[in-house]
């Protein structure tokens, strides 16, 4: 039995009379065409009027259709978009056989960065009018997207100094080899002076780059810099520390559509919760909203500001706790009914400090308590089980200090101390492992520049004779200190290692000002644990789809504004595909035409 045979290439065939016959009525390109044509591109900021002189340009609508189609079909490169426009029947129909040059395609995205984000907002408004968006809650999350910046074009102040010393050492070694070559007798196979003379060229260039980077960091006050894309930052990703942008999204919880996005160079999500909730409220047209986020958004200051706005910042409390707690000094301010119903944040804080809960916080997940000091000079301890604040004596009476001995077997170390090399800014541990700088010390919760911390998790995890019962050891050095004795091994040999049996209590670190208070007002916020469990099912899908399906795990443009334009093409495509899956092509066409 033979194979399936194709048609004869020389056979005369009858093709459809019009290009429109090649595109079915349920093809998604018809929905793309209808949506882009419905936009007021002049109001969005695109150049809508054609030029009166010179060579005519391409219609911005055609360029938007081309990019939307490319994002929906895994095509990002401007050269590939040009190629597809010349051979893809769907694109021929969509662009009416217009084939833009790849340079014009790339420049369109670069030159219309602000306007492109308006296209995303327009589609969100369209979905909102169609009733596809939930007005109750959004899930806020962030993900790192690789910037257009090579790793060796990124510099950290502490590491750059060490690399600079190594480069200078290499240059000195090469210079020495040059001198030795001059004086040594030539022998067969030996390197000549000309061979060695070209070797120091790269170290010299590297030396110049490092010196300039250190000067720029000293002038800007930052501890790291990226030279190719100065607006990007070194961020922790799954692939290690890489030059990246932190892309924030807010996804509504019903149909999982993205309602807001932003491109930032913040290395962490710590202070971005309030901005995400405010932008989502504007997109949805609501007064108050619940923002669900992970532990990365656990800034007490941000959460309190969201509560005072009447919003619900649902984030995980600290480990082992059920609520997030805020402390205020008790005052004797006279509170009026007008103050309780006010929306001014300063007025609301006055009410709370007076021990009165404002109307905006009178809800089931917020509690207020006035606490008097029970013992002068005593720290406060949080009972994680009950949420109560107790004194040192009460904590001790309930077994908070009980310890049991732990049998630990350790061999004698290579050296009984941690040794710090100030010049290279590293520390050698008792087992000979190298620990790296990990930031400033935080005694009493405040950064202290003279104190420097060092650790290395990978070394501690593999160490068979480590000096701790925890996963890693963090060691701090004061200014000028070079050696720190380690008594863990001696204690282990004498069976003096103990471990707490109860982790029920947590010490509350009080500032000097708080230590002088006789009365506190405690405000507690209890996040909805059920909503936190649903967060992963909502937040992860858009990023996974955009990064893998659209292929946008890395950026093609430099700068926050241009990166925002690039993401402003991927996210509408994600929402567009999502709505097509929900309503079908005919449904989305009816939604656009309504």
């Amino acid at each position: 039995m033979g194979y399936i045979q194709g048609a004869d290439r020389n056979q005369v065939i009858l093709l459809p009379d019009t290009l429109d016959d090649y595109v079915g009525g349920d093809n998604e390109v018809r929905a793309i065409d209808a949506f882009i044509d419905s936009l007021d591109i002049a109001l969005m900021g695109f150049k809508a009027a054609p030029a009166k002189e010179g060579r005519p340009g391409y219609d911005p609508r055609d360029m938007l259709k081309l990019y939307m189609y490319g994002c929906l079909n895994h095509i990002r490169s401007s050269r590939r978009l040009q190629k597809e426009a010349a051979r893809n029947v769907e694109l021929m129909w969509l662009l009416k056989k217009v084939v833009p040059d790849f340079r014009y395609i790339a420049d369109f995205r670069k030159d219309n960065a602000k306007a492109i984000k308006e296209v995303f907002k327009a589609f969100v408004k369209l979905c909102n009018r169609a009733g596809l968006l939930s007005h109750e809650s959004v899930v806020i999350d962030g993900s790192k997207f690789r910037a257009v910046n090579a790793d060796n074009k990124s510099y950290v102040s502490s590491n750059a100094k060490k690399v600079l010393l190594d480069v200078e050492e290499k240059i000195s070694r090469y210079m020495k080899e040059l001198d030795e070559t001059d004086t040594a007798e030539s022998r067969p196979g030996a390197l000549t002076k000309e061979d060695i003379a070209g070797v120091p060229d790269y170290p010299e260039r590297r030396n110049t780059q490092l010196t300039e980077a250190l000067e720029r960091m000293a002038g800007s006050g930052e501890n790291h810099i990226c030279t190719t894309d100065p607006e990007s930052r070194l961020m922790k990703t799954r692939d290690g520390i890489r030059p990246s942008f932190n892309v924030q999204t807010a996804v509504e919880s019903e149909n999982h559509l993205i309602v807001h996005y932003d491109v930032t160079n913040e290395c962490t999500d710590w202070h971005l919760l309030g901005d995400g909730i405010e932008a989502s409220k504007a997109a949805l047209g609501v007064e108050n909203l619940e923002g669900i986020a992970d532990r990365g958004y656990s800034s007490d200051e941000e959460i309190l500001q969201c509560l005072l706005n009447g919003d619900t910042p649902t984030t995980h409390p600290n480990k082992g706790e059920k609520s997030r707690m805020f402390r205020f000094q008790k005052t004797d301010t006279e509170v009026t009914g007008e103050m309780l119903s006010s929306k001014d944040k300063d007025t609301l804080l006055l009410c709370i400090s007076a021990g009165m809960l404002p109307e905006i916080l009178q809800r089931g997940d917020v509690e207020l308590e006035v606490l008097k000091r029970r013992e002068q000079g005593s720290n406060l301890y949080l009972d994680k089980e009950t949420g109560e604040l107790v004194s040192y004596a009460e904590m001790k009476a309930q077994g908070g200090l009980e310890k049991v001995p732990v049998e630990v077997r350790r061999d004698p170390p290579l050296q009984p101390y941690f040794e710090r090399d100030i010049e290279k800014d590293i520390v050698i541990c008792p087992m000979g492992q190298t620990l790296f700088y990990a930031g400033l010390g935080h005694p009493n919760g405040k950064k202290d520049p003279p104190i420097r911390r060092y650790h290395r998790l990978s070394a501690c995890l593999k160490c068979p004779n480590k000096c701790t019962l925890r996963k890693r050891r963090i060691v701090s050095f004061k200014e000028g200190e070079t050696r720190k004795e380690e008594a863990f091994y001696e204690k282990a040999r004498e069976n003096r290692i103990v471990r707490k049996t109860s982790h029920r209590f947590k010490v509350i670190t009080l500032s000097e000002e708080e230590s002088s208070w006789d009365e506190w007002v405690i405000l507690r916020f209890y996040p909805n644990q059920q909503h936190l469990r649903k967060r992963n099912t909502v937040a992860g899908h858009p990023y996974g789809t955009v990064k893998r399906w659209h292929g946008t795990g890395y950026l093609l443009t430099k700068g926050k504004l241009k990166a925002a334009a690039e993401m402003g093409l991927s996210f509408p495509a994600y929402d567009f595909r999502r709505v097509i899956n929900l309503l079908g092509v005919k449904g989305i066409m009816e939604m656009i035409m309504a």
Side-chain angles (χ1 to χ4, degrees):
M1 185 175 181
Y3 297 108
I4 296 175
Q5 298 295 320
D8 185 355
R9 294 191 180 96
N10 297 317
Q11 180 181 348
V12 178
I13 59 175
L14 297 176
L15 295 176
D17 294 331
T18 64
L19 192 61
D20 192 66
D21 292 337
Y22 284 96
V23 178
D26 59 348
N27 195 308
E28 64 184 23
V29 296
R30 294 187 179 273
I32 296 173
D33 186 65
F35 169 63
I36 300 299
D37 285 343
S38 70
L39 302 176
D40 188 345
I41 61 171
L43 187 63
M44 291 179 174
F46 294 100
K47 187 178 179 180
K52 296 181 180 179
E53 298 178 355
R55 183 179 183 273
Y58 295 101
D59 191 339
R61 297 179 184 85
D62 288 340
M63 304 306 299
L64 287 174
K65 293 174 185 177
L66 177 61
Y67 267 115
M68 179 73 81
Y69 182 88
C71 289
L72 286 170
N73 292 275
H74 318 248
I75 307 171
R76 298 180 65 201
S77 165
S78 59
R79 293 179 184 270
R80 284 193 61 202
L81 286 172
Q82 178 189 1
K83 190 174 183 179
E84 290 296 319
R87 69 180 184 181
N88 189 310
V89 176
E90 291 178 337
L91 272 179
M92 288 180 184
W93 180 92
L94 192 62
L95 303 183
K96 301 174 184 176
K97 300 188 73 173
V98 170
V99 183
D101 180 74
F102 72 89
R103 291 187 181 88
Y104 190 93
I105 296 172
D107 289 341
F108 174 80
R109 178 177 55 195
K110 178 183 66 176
D111 298 335
N112 297 279
K114 291 183 179 179
I116 286 174
K117 190 168 185 178
E118 297 300 319
V119 177
F120 169 79
K121 292 181 180 179
F123 190 74
V124 172
K125 289 180 181 178
L126 182 64
C127 294
N128 197 22
R129 288 198 302 268
L132 295 177
L133 303 182
S134 168
H135 291 178
E136 297 179 358
S137 63
V138 294
V139 176
I140 297 173
D141 201 3
S143 185
K144 309 300 190 300
F145 284 71
R146 183 69 184 269
V148 184
N149 199 104
D151 292 342
N152 62 353
K153 297 291 184 181
S154 306
Y155 306 95
V156 181
S157 58
S158 59
N159 188 51
K161 294 175 184 177
K162 291 183 286 186
V163 175
L164 186 58
L165 290 173
D166 293 339
V167 170
E168 291 175 350
E169 183 181 345
K170 288 181 180 179
I171 293 174
S172 300
R173 187 168 66 249
Y174 289 136
M175 292 299 104
K176 184 179 179 181
E177 289 180 7
L178 282 173
D179 294 336
E180 291 175 354
T181 303
D182 286 336
T183 58
E185 295 182 3
S186 61
R187 58 183 182 275
L191 293 175
T192 65
K193 181 178 179 180
E194 289 73 19
D195 294 331
I196 301 177
V199 176
D201 289 346
Y202 173 73
E204 287 286 359
R205 293 197 303 271
R206 190 66 173 157
N207 192 349
T208 303
Q209 293 172 357
L210 291 166
T211 304
E212 291 177 354
L214 286 170
E215 291 175 354
R216 290 175 61 179
M217 282 186 279
S220 63
E222 297 186 357
N223 66 343
H224 70 272
I225 192 171
C226 301
T227 55
T228 306
D229 187 352
E231 294 188 27
S232 65
R233 293 291 181 271
L234 286 172
M235 301 181 186
K236 185 177 181 181
T237 68
R238 291 184 177 181
D239 298 327
I241 307 297
R242 297 287 184 268
S244 307
F245 283 102
N246 186 356
V247 179
Q248 297 286 309
T249 58
V251 183
E252 59 86 30
S253 56
E254 183 177 343
N255 290 317
H256 302 182
L257 294 171
I258 302 172
V259 299
H260 161 73
Y261 82 92
D262 191 22
V263 176
T264 75
N265 56 9
E266 295 287 339
C267 296
T268 64
D269 303 330
W270 195 249
H271 297 291
L272 301 176
L273 179 60
D275 293 340
I277 293 178
E278 288 297 323
S280 301
K281 290 195 297 185
L284 296 173
V286 296
E287 186 176 354
N288 299 116
L289 189 66
E290 179 186 18
I292 308 171
D294 58 20
R295 296 183 190 275
Y297 296 84
S298 297
S299 168
D300 286 340
E301 181 182 352
E302 283 286 309
I303 293 172
L304 179 60
Q305 293 301 315
C306 292
L307 289 172
L308 295 177
N309 286 334
D311 302 318
T312 306
T314 304
T315 62
H316 290 276
N318 293 329
K319 189 175 182 179
E321 301 176 19
K322 297 180 180 179
S323 66
R324 192 166 291 276
M325 186 174 62
F326 308 93
R327 302 189 299 273
F328 305 89
Q329 183 179 15
K330 178 69 170 64
T331 63
D332 297 327
T333 305
E334 185 177 347
V335 178
T336 63
E338 184 179 352
M339 293 173 65
L340 290 173
S341 60
S342 173
K343 293 186 178 180
D344 179 67
K345 293 183 181 179
D346 293 334
T347 304
L348 297 178
L349 290 174
L350 287 175
C351 296
I352 295 172
S353 299
M356 301 288 290
L357 197 61
E359 291 181 4
I360 201 170
L361 294 178
Q362 292 179 8
R363 55 198 216 187
D365 55 358
V366 178
E367 293 180 357
L368 186 140
E369 175 189 6
V370 178
L371 180 70
K372 292 185 179 181
R373 182 186 290 277
R374 303 180 188 180
E375 294 180 12
Q376 288 295 331
S378 170
N379 286 328
L380 292 176
Y381 292 83
L382 174 67
D383 189 334
K384 295 179 182 179
E385 293 183 2
T386 63
E388 293 182 314
L389 292 177
V390 299
S391 65
Y392 175 82
E394 292 172 318
M395 179 273 296
K396 184 178 179 181
Q398 297 181 46
L401 296 181
E402 291 182 0
K403 298 179 181 179
V404 294
V406 180
E407 184 178 355
V408 179
R409 297 183 180 274
R410 292 289 190 271
D411 297 327
L414 302 178
Q415 59 188 32
Y417 52 79
F418 288 88
E419 188 170 16
R420 177 188 177 200
D421 187 329
I422 297 179
E423 192 172 298
K424 293 185 177 180
D425 201 19
I426 59 174
V427 170
I428 305 300
C429 81
M431 291 303 298
Q433 296 289 340
T434 302
L435 311 184
F436 299 118
Y437 172 65
L440 302 176
H442 293 70
N444 299 323
K446 295 182 179 180
K447 288 186 178 180
D448 190 352
I451 299 180
R452 299 174 71 83
R453 300 183 305 154
Y454 299 83
H455 70 77
R456 188 178 170 196
L457 178 61
S458 59
C460 289
L461 289 176
K462 297 177 182 178
C463 182
N465 201 46
K466 59 184 179 181
C467 55
T468 179
L469 297 178
R470 299 177 180 271
K471 289 185 178 179
R472 64 179 174 181
R473 175 67 185 275
I474 301 176
V475 58
S476 300
F477 283 81
K478 296 180 180 178
E479 187 174 7
E481 191 176 11
T482 59
R483 182 172 292 187
K484 179 161 287 191
E485 300 293 331
E486 179 52 56
F488 184 88
Y489 298 95
E490 183 179 351
K491 289 181 179 179
R493 182 168 51 84
E494 298 175 357
N495 294 324
R496 291 192 289 122
I497 303 296
V498 295
R499 176 183 285 166
K500 290 179 64 174
T501 59
S502 174
H503 297 280
R504 175 179 171 183
F505 298 94
K506 172 188 172 182
V507 63
I508 302 297
T509 304
L510 302 176
S511 64
E512 294 183 5
E513 181 183 0
E514 291 176 324
S515 299
S516 62
W517 298 351
D518 291 327
E519 284 187 282
W520 292 273
V521 176
I522 307 298
L523 184 70
R524 291 188 177 89
F525 167 60
Y526 294 85
N528 190 316
Q529 298 291 330
Q530 189 65 30
H531 290 182
L532 288 173
R533 294 188 187 97
K534 294 180 180 179
R535 188 197 68 81
N536 289 339
T537 64
V538 179
H541 185 266
Y543 284 124
T545 301
V546 168
K547 284 189 174 184
R548 296 182 182 275
W549 177 45
H550 293 173
T552 53
Y554 58 92
L555 299 169
L556 301 176
T557 54
K558 293 186 287 186
K560 283 197 300 183
L561 185 60
K562 295 174 186 176
E566 190 174 341
M567 300 311 302
L569 294 167
S570 293
F571 288 143
Y574 170 84
D575 283 352
F576 201 85
R577 176 72 72 188
R578 188 83 182 163
V579 174
I580 288 178
N581 292 339
L582 290 170
L583 304 178
V585 174
K586 292 183 179 179
I588 194 173
M589 291 282 287
E590 293 173 359
M591 183 181 77
I592 294 170
M593 298 302 181

